[in-house]
Amino acid sequence: MTELICIVCPKGCRLQVDEAADNSVKGAGCERGVKYAKAELINPVRVLTSTVRFVGADGERLPVKTDGPIPKDRIQAAAAALNDIVAYGPVGVGDVLAEDFFGTGVRLVATRSMR
C-alpha cells in the first residue's frame, strides 16, 4: 500500500493506493485524485518552474516554466540545464525560449514580460 497526498487541487486528499488490488485508490475526494494517484505510481510528472538569466536589465532573472509536465526523475537535470539559457529583452508572457526543452517534448516559456 502506497500513501500519497493529492496535489491536483488545494484540498490535499490523503490517498491510499493498493498495488495488490490493481492499483485501487481510497481516500480520493474526486475522480481527478484517482487519476493522479494511478499516474503518480506509473509515471510521475511535474511542471518545472524556475528562472533564467536575462540580458537587458541589470541583475534581473526571467521567470519561466515548461508548458507541460516532464518526467519527475528528469526535473533536477532539466533545472540544471536552465543555467545554459539566456533570454534577451524584450520578452513577453508566453514567449517560447526553447521548443523541445531538454528533449522532453515540451516548450520552455516566459511567465513575465520584461523589457
Side-chain angles (χ1 to χ4, degrees), residues 50-107:
S50 188
T51 60
V52 297
R53 194 168 138 231
F54 180 76
V55 175
D58 190 36
E60 290 286 331
R61 295 197 55 89
L62 175 69
V64 297
K65 72 173 193 133
T66 56
D67 69 350
I70 63 176
K72 188 176 175 183
D73 62 356
R74 297 188 70 195
I75 290 283
Q76 293 219 349
L82 292 173
N83 291 329
D84 298 331
I85 296 176
V86 179
Y88 296 90
V91 174
V93 172
D95 284 358
V96 177
L97 303 177
E99 275 298 328
D100 181 18
F101 175 64
F102 198 61
T104 58
V106 298
R107 298 179 303 172

Side-chain angles (χ1 to χ4, degrees), residues 1-4 14-21 23-27 41:
M1 177 102 35
T2 301
E3 295 187 6
L4 302 168
R14 295 185 180 276
L15 310 173
Q16 298 86 35
V17 184
D18 189 353
E19 295 93 340
N23 289 337
S24 67
V25 179
K26 294 180 184 175
L41 289 181

Side-chain angles (χ1 to χ4, degrees), residues 35-48:
K35 184 178 176 183
Y36 163 77
K38 290 181 178 185
E40 188 68 10
L41 289 181
I42 296 167
N43 182 30
V45 293
R46 299 289 186 274
V47 170
L48 174 63

